[in-house]
């Protein structure tokens, strides 16, 4: 049952929370903001002493805090969202 639930959760494509991103170190995500074309990024979790920061690394090598992106209105998904007609 737990395997089926995990599969169902993986198939959902709701915007991810910061807590969900903490569990996705090294995995790709798709980011959209204000109707602009989306971009892929890799999740990188930085743990050092008291710091626990989630970074998003983009194809051009730039990186940004996931918390900043979410607070700035971006939505982060496991895969590109399907546009409803």
């Amino acid at each position: 049952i737990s395997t089926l639930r995990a599969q169902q959760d993986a198939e959902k494509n709701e915007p991810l929370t910061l807590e969900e991103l903490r569990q996705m170190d090294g995995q790709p995500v798709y980011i959209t903001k204000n109707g602009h074309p989306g971009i892929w990024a890799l999740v990188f979790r930085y743990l050092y002493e008291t710091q626990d920061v989630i970074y998003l690394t983009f194809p051009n090598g730039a990186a940004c805090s996931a918390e900043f992106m979410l607070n700035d209105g971006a939505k982060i998904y496991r895969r590109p969202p399907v546009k409803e007609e």
Side-chain angles (χ1 to χ4, degrees), residues 3-75:
T3 302
L4 289 173
R5 283 191 182 141
Q7 183 179 5
Q8 285 177 333
D9 288 343
E11 290 174 2
K12 291 180 187 174
N13 199 33
E14 298 294 321
L16 298 164
T17 65
L18 195 56
E19 283 306 311
E20 290 170 317
L21 290 167
R22 287 188 198 292
Q23 307 303 316
M24 296 181 65
D25 191 20
Q27 295 183 37
V29 291
Y30 192 79
I31 304 166
T32 63
K33 184 178 174 194
N34 299 331
H36 293 287
I39 187 169
W40 287 98
L42 286 178
V43 177
F44 174 75
R45 186 174 183 184
Y46 177 77
L47 294 166
Y48 181 75
E49 294 181 4
T50 61
Q51 296 182 353
D52 184 2
V53 182
I54 305 301
Y55 288 103
L56 301 169
T57 305
F58 300 96
N60 67 358
C64 183
S65 159
E67 185 172 10
F68 173 81
M69 293 292 291
L70 291 170
N71 289 337
D72 198 38
K75 295 192 187 252

